[in-house]
Amino acid sequence: MKAIVFDFNGTMFMDTDKHRLAWNEFFAKMIGRPLTEEEFRVYACGPGVDTIIRRFYHADLDAAQIDALCEEKEAIYRRLCREDVENLRLAGGLPALLDRLKAAGVPMAIATGARRSNMDFYMEAFGLERWFDWDHIIYDDGTLPGKPAPDVYLCACARLDVAPGDCVVVEDSFAGIESANAAGVGGIIAITATNSRQELAALPGVRAVIDDYCHFSENFAPVA
């Protein structure tokens, strides 16, 4: 493999609990109840925020109203992240892995359903510019279909100037893995932030399942 693309939420930053709490608070206000565990896992992990809101908030809303609701939910999420200072850090072993990949000259990108406001927050909180420039961060700017459509991963590969088959993707969600597999990437490393090892291992395209990045090279020696 020539390049690697990371999903971000639940993959580089273990924030699934923060998104769950934020959606609970948001939907308790908007629809009068939180999402069930199954609804959250299947429908709210991976797709863009606007897609999730449209699925559960059954109202005739224009683009500006949807955008405002998206930002309302994400503001709740960022508040929860800032309040949990102890866990506001990248996934275990990831900074060292990113250092090794950069030193080896491996092209890297992020392909995420996060909005620009959240990516600005992550840049500041984690110093991502140490490893990634903005041209290699594909986020939800409204121009591409969200996961599980393959577009974000196809765009990431194009930005890195590599064929999808020469790229490995690290993902945590069903929608994200479906997206990467549909893009025709060379392999998917699944991380157990949201779903079980057994569920992830059974998905098409998944070549290894990890709990963190401390032993990543054992699962993908050609890149690490």
Side-chain angles (χ1 to χ4, degrees):
M1 297 295 168
K2 297 178 180 178
I4 185 165
V5 180
F6 296 88
D7 171 50
F8 193 83
N9 302 101
T11 299
M12 298 180 75
F13 176 37
M14 298 309 172
D15 59 349
T16 302
D17 60 327
K18 303 301 186 302
H19 279 292
R20 178 64 196 267
L21 290 170
W23 281 122
N24 283 352
E25 184 174 330
F26 176 83
F27 278 124
K29 174 184 174 183
M30 292 296 132
I31 65 174
R33 68 171 180 87
L35 300 184
T36 67
E37 182 64 33
E38 187 68 9
E39 286 172 334
F40 175 74
R41 243 178 22 106
V42 174
Y43 301 116
C45 293
V49 182
D50 59 335
T51 300
I52 300 165
I53 289 174
R54 286 190 177 95
R55 174 177 289 275
F56 292 101
Y57 189 48
H58 302 297
D60 187 14
L61 301 173
D62 61 28
Q65 290 171 312
I66 288 286
D67 187 67
L69 289 171
C70 289
E71 281 305 314
E72 181 176 342
K73 180 269 173 181
E74 297 297 42
I76 296 169
Y77 159 79
R78 291 192 298 271
R79 168 176 55 80
L80 293 170
C81 289
R82 290 188 180 100
E83 289 172 353
D84 188 9
V85 177
E86 182 179 352
N87 290 307
L88 189 57
R89 61 178 184 269
L90 293 176
L94 181 57
L97 173 64
L98 294 175
D99 284 343
R100 293 200 305 273
L101 293 170
K102 184 175 180 179
V106 176
M108 299 184 290
I110 293 172
T112 176
R115 293 162 67 86
R116 176 62 187 249
S117 55
N118 281 3
M119 286 311 308
D120 286 337
F121 169 64
Y122 303 141
M123 275 289 196
E124 178 182 354
F126 306 124
L128 295 178
E129 69 278 358
R130 174 175 164 186
W131 305 288
F132 301 94
D133 59 50
W134 277 107
D135 191 52
H136 291 156
I137 299 176
I138 293 80
Y139 58 90
D140 181 9
D141 63 358
T143 64
L144 295 173
K147 302 170 186 178
D151 301 64
V152 291
Y153 282 113
L154 292 172
C155 181
C157 291
R159 297 272 185 93
L160 294 174
D161 196 26
V162 296
D166 289 329
C167 183
V168 66
V169 163
V170 188
E171 261 285 0
D172 72 302
S173 70
F174 295 152
I177 290 170
E178 182 179 345
S179 171
N181 193 54
V185 302
I188 301 167
I189 307 298
I191 191 163
T192 58
T194 310
N195 301 293
S196 72
R197 178 174 290 273
Q198 292 76 18
E199 289 173 310
L200 293 169
L203 295 176
V206 173
R207 59 185 295 172
V209 182
I210 60 175
D211 298 315
D212 57 35
Y213 297 90
C214 294
H215 304 288
F216 189 86
S217 59
E218 296 174 9
N219 294 282
F220 197 66
V223 162

